[in-house]
Each structure stands twice: as structure tokens, then as C-alpha cells.
Amino acid sequence: MGHIDHGKSTLLDYIRKTNVVEKEFGGITQHINAYEVEHKRESGVVEKITFLDTPGHVAFKAMRSRGAAVADIAILVVSAEDGVKPQTLEALNTIVESETPYLVAITKIDKPNANIEKTKQNLAENGIYIEGYSGNIPSVLISAKTGENIPELLEIILLLSDLEDLKGDENAPFEGIIIESSLDAKKGITATIVIKNGRLESGMCVVSGKSICPLKIIEDFTGKKITEATFSSPVRLVGWSALPRVGSKVTSCKNKKEAETIAFKNKDESSVVENKIPEGVHIIPVIIKADVAGVADAISHEVEKLNTDRTCIKIIDIGAGTIADNDAKKALPFKGAIILGFNVKVEDRAQDLADRNNIIIKTFNVIYQLTDWLKETIEKQTPKMEVEEVVGQLKIIKVFSSTKNSQIVGGKVLNGTLSINDNVRIMRADVEIARGKIEELQQNKSKTSKIMDGEAGLSISGTSTIIGGDLIESIVKVIK
């Protein structure tokens, strides 16, 4: 875990001897992925390590939290060029909150601008005390480009697992965690899980929430079909009855009937949480579809941050898979509905139905492009309203004369500009007591049309009595 562009995916890339980075749109890891690697220890024993790769972009905080909750050990990745960044601290908070043991990997040590000592000092300044710097947090200096110290990193991970006494039991009841789920046009509903304990075998039946899965197809992280797997392994299960909720537990059942009974009890679960919308607020109905459920969930959290006091996003539905005609049908009852797609295609029937019913369908491959477009849409759809803005303030020093309908006063400009014919409000102890209009202005014993600084005399129409210390605010009405 760590800040965006600090080399998390490149590090895994080197470890796995594959290339995932180039496949990620915009160079950002936008999914949580699981990979299993082997490491030969100094003793000669070969052991397996499962890595969870979590996105660094701020939009995917929920996905990083799920990753930390599943993991036994966290690796906080910090660039030797950049040091600690905001998302480094956000990742650290997530690790600490989940009480996950962690180590620090200082990356990019091969770069010309790398400053290892400064980075270590920066870590200490932010409360991350590594070994050798007044702390006991293990750390390793690495280069994902050259592979320097990568074997040492894997050895430290296994040493830390020994210290934490991390063990599993193949004979224990099966338990897993959903880390991602998706709808595949050919395979159907699939889910990636990490086995926390016990053993998974073909022929078993598992349940997660309201979804069940008879284990006819089990795949390892490479997509190869397998018949069994045990704790810590990431596997993909094919053939779920419904899209399982990311982050939910998976348990095994004696048979399909038992699984169906448990799923029926959980049928009231919903992936969409109704957001409370105040009365009088303009509503933009939105349906979110992404290639995988975890990303759709992350986008929904990001979208809700865009709400304003006058316009609010109402999420109608969240799902994974191609935008189909059924999605367009869900949008039909809602005026001005928008279907947002992320890394998904749009079926022709869905597009035709949307075009005929003024439903907007927009697809994206990069998260910030989606949010930028939605910000612009919210701004365009936000109802315009007339508001008052203060353009100048003057503090009353003295009242020279007062009649029934006007007063002549002297004061000092605090900020802005006051002009003849401006409407003003009279403030006393931050409370508006009356309104009036500037009839005449004088400065340096000469009449003027406006004042911007210094002391001045004013003739203000109105029935209220102004006293010394009052504040005169010149106001204009604008459309926003």
C-alpha cells in the first residue's frame, strides 16, 4: 500500500515476472488483484506468498481498506525520491486501524534523485519509526527496476510471518473473503476470494450473503483450472447465483440445499444504500456499472462526494458487467437519469433505449475523467438562483445628522467598493437591523461616485437609526 506512482505495481511486476502495469488504463491500478508467488528461503524451503495489489488513487480508499482487512501483513511502499505523501499517511492509517503488522519498502533507490537518508528521516517525522531510526518496523531498500534486494524483501515478509505466528489449518471449516466479483459474458458471475482458513475442493457448495456457488469451476490466479486450494491462496470461483458483495465472508455448506437456505435468510441485503436527500434539492439519478463490483463500489463513494447543497446524486443501482437494456429499463422511471460505465461496453439495445428516452450513457476508463465529467454535469444541471454578495464594507465612525428617511454618517472603508445607488444592509453585532440605499458619497470634501479606501461621508436613505460602530455592507444580487 502507498501513494500513487510510488511503484507498487512495478514491484509486483518484477516479483511475478509479468507485465500488468501497461494493461492498466492511465497507469493506475484500478482493481484489487491477488497473486501467488514462490520464494526459496535461505534454508532451501520453498514457500508461497499471496500478494494483494491495491490501488493508490484516492478514489479507491474503500478497496485499500478491504485489502488491509484481508491481509496478514502489509507493505507500506515509499519512494526514495518523493518520501511520505498524503496517500502514504492515508494507507498507514488504514494499516494501523486494521491492526495489520507491516514493513516498509523504500523503492526507486536506483533513481538519480533518490535520497535514502532524507526518506528515512521523513518517515520518522511522520511517526513511522523503522529499524535503525529509533523504531522496530522492518524496512528494506529496493529497486523494482533492477531487482535489487527483492529476495531480501520476500525473506523479511516470511520472517515477519514467523514472528507473528501466522498459521492456518487445512482441516478447519472453510472460510474466505470476497476481494472482487464480476459478470463475465461467457462464464457468468465470478468472484475472486482469498482463503483465510480450511480447504476448498470441487463439489463443495459455498455461500456469501444472498449468493451461492456450487464449486464446479475453481481457477487459480492465472486462470488455470484446479480442483482444490487451501488457506492463503487466491482463487476464482465461477458460477455464482448472484453477484456477491465485495468484502463479505464466504463459508462452505454441506450441500446446495443448505446453501440456498442460508442465502434466503440473507436476501434482504442490498448493495445500494439509500442516501438521504433534503427537500428542494435537485436530484440527478445515476446508475453505476463497472467491470468488477469493487470498482463500482469505489466509484459510488467517489460520486457521492460531488453532492452540493443544491444538487444531489441519487444512486439508483450499482452493478458489474456490460451496460445492458435492463440497465436502461431501470433508468426509465427517473427523469434525467445517467448511466455511468467504467471499463465496460454498452449493448446496442441499451443505447437505443437510452437514445429514445433521453437517458445519458457515458463510459470511462480512468476514474478522474469520470468524476470531472460528472462535476461539469452537476454544474450545468444545478438550478440557478439569485443570491446576495457583499462587494464593500464600511465601519461607521460618527453620525452627523438624522432625519425621518435618511442619515448622514462618516466612516472608514474596511474592504471592497461602495458606490452611489448601492443597496446596503446595516449590521450591528453581526445581526442585520435594517436596509437602505447610498444616496450620496463624499471623500476629501468632494462628491464622488464610489469609494474604495480611507474615510468618507455617506448619505443613506432608510428609516433605521444608525449608530457608531455599525457596519454598512454594500450588496449586489447575482445569479448562481
Side-chain angles (χ1 to χ4, degrees):
M1 302 174 68
H3 192 76
I4 190 170
D5 197 35
H6 272 198
K8 298 182 299 298
S9 296
T10 309
L11 169 59
L12 275 177
D13 228 23
Y14 185 90
I15 294 171
R16 293 181 291 112
K17 304 295 185 185
T18 59
N19 195 334
V20 170
V21 177
E22 290 180 2
K23 296 177 184 177
E24 293 288 353
F25 287 97
I28 303 171
T29 303
Q30 298 175 129
H31 301 81
I32 184 169
N33 292 307
Y35 315 102
E36 195 172 60
V37 303
E38 291 184 342
H39 174 64
K40 189 174 183 179
R41 303 194 71 170
E42 294 174 356
S43 63
V45 176
V46 176
E47 297 201 40
K48 292 180 179 180
I49 304 172
T50 293
F51 284 92
L52 297 178
D53 183 16
T54 62
H57 192 282
V58 66
F60 298 99
K61 181 178 179 180
M63 297 177 75
R64 289 193 292 279
S65 296
R66 284 196 295 271
V70 174
D72 300 307
I73 294 171
I75 303 173
L76 185 64
V77 177
V78 183
S79 165
E81 286 186 304
D82 300 335
V84 176
K85 291 288 184 180
Q87 281 167 247
T88 310
L89 296 176
E90 184 253 297
L92 176 66
N93 288 336
T94 300
I95 293 168
V96 172
E97 286 172 9
S98 63
E99 298 182 347
T100 306
Y102 74 101
L103 59 98
V104 175
I106 300 176
T107 60
K108 301 187 179 183
I109 61 172
D110 57 287
K111 296 284 187 177
N113 295 327
N115 191 327
I116 294 169
E117 288 307 309
K118 184 178 179 182
T119 302
K120 289 180 177 181
Q121 184 177 343
N122 191 209
L123 286 166
E125 289 169 353
N126 286 277
I128 306 168
Y129 301 105
I130 61 175
E131 291 175 345
Y133 258 74
S134 305
N136 58 1
I137 299 168
S139 67
V140 60
L141 306 174
I142 62 170
S143 167
K145 184 177 180 181
T146 66
E148 184 178 354
N149 291 336
I150 299 297
E152 285 77 2
L153 172 67
L154 301 180
E155 189 67 26
I156 289 174
I157 291 169
L158 292 171
L159 284 170
L160 190 54
S161 75
D162 292 339
L163 289 171
E164 294 292 332
D165 197 27
L166 300 174
K167 295 178 180 179
D169 182 0
E170 290 188 10
N171 298 315
F174 166 77
E175 182 184 335
I177 300 286
I178 302 281
I179 63 169
E180 198 52 274
S181 60
S182 62
L183 175 62
D184 187 283
K186 295 180 181 178
K187 293 182 178 180
I189 298 174
T190 68
T192 301
I193 74 167
V194 168
I195 303 172
K196 294 294 288 181
N197 212 4
R199 173 177 287 276
L200 200 63
E201 297 177 342
S202 294
M204 291 172 59
C205 192
V206 297
V207 61
S208 179
K210 59 184 177 181
S211 181
I212 68 170
C213 184
L215 299 186
K216 296 179 180 179
I217 301 176
I218 306 174
E219 297 175 347
D220 66 11
F221 75 96
T222 66
K224 178 184 175 182
K225 289 185 180 179
I226 56 176
T227 57
E228 61 180 14
T230 187
F231 58 87
S232 292
S233 289
V235 294
R236 185 181 292 113
L237 307 183
V238 181
W240 293 82
S241 61
L243 202 68
R245 184 169 54 85
V246 175
S248 60
K249 288 185 178 180
V250 187
T251 55
S252 60
C253 302
K254 294 178 182 178
N255 49 50
K256 186 177 179 181
K257 186 175 181 180
E258 183 187 8
E260 288 173 341
T261 301
I262 295 172
F264 182 77
K265 292 179 181 178
N266 298 330
K267 64 182 174 61
D268 292 332
E269 285 186 1
S270 175
S271 60
V272 179
V273 178
E274 279 292 322
N275 35 353
K276 297 178 181 179
I277 300 175
E279 290 185 15
V281 173
H282 176 66
I283 296 172
I284 301 178
V286 169
I287 291 175
I288 297 170
K289 292 296 291 289
D291 52 346
V292 292
V295 171
D297 184 46
I299 290 171
S300 72
H301 288 294
E302 201 67 13
V303 163
E304 288 177 350
K305 293 179 185 176
L306 304 179
N307 290 338
T308 69
D309 56 348
R310 281 186 278 161
T311 303
C312 199
I313 303 294
K314 179 180 175 64
I315 298 177
I316 304 166
D317 192 35
I318 303 171
T322 302
I323 297 175
D325 59 341
N326 188 49
D327 297 306
K329 288 175 182 176
K330 288 178 183 177
L332 281 176
F334 301 90
K335 184 179 178 181
I338 298 172
I339 301 176
L340 295 175
F342 192 83
N343 281 343
V344 295
K345 294 180 179 179
V346 183
E347 291 183 359
D348 291 339
R349 288 184 299 177
Q351 191 64 63
D352 290 342
L353 187 58
D355 291 341
R356 292 198 306 270
N357 293 277
N358 297 317
I359 297 168
I360 299 172
I361 297 179
K362 290 286 290 184
T363 60
F364 302 88
N365 292 323
V366 178
I367 183 71
Y368 57 77
Q369 292 177 355
L370 182 153
T371 53
D372 285 349
W373 179 85
L374 198 54
K375 283 177 187 175
E376 292 178 8
T377 302
I378 290 172
E379 191 174 332
K380 290 176 184 176
Q381 292 196 21
T382 298
K384 302 302 178 185
M385 60 185 294
E386 190 177 67
V387 296
E388 290 183 338
E389 284 191 352
V390 176
V391 296
Q393 289 182 314
L394 177 141
K395 186 174 183 179
I396 299 298
I397 298 173
K398 187 175 182 179
V399 177
F400 294 107
S401 66
S402 179
T403 64
K404 184 178 179 180
N405 295 313
S406 69
Q407 295 180 83
I408 297 174
V409 298
K412 183 178 181 179
V413 177
L414 299 181
N415 58 68
T417 303
L418 294 90
S419 306
I420 286 181
N421 296 324
D422 276 0
N423 291 310
V424 296
R425 59 189 182 198
I426 300 152
M427 308 293 292
R428 186 175 297 163
D430 295 326
V431 177
E432 181 181 326
I433 61 169
R435 296 209 168 199
K437 188 175 183 179
I438 298 176
E439 299 288 352
E440 188 177 336
L441 284 171
Q442 282 193 13
Q443 196 166 40
N444 299 323
K445 299 182 179 180
S446 299
K447 290 185 178 181
T448 183
S449 60
K450 64 180 180 180
I451 53 174
M452 300 174 66
D453 54 31
E455 295 185 355
L458 302 84
S459 174
I460 299 176
S461 65
T463 57
S464 177
T465 301
I466 301 172
I467 63 174
D470 285 350
L471 198 65
I472 305 297
E473 293 185 337
S474 183
I475 54 176
V476 296
K477 291 183 178 180
V478 296
I479 303 298
K480 284 190 173 181

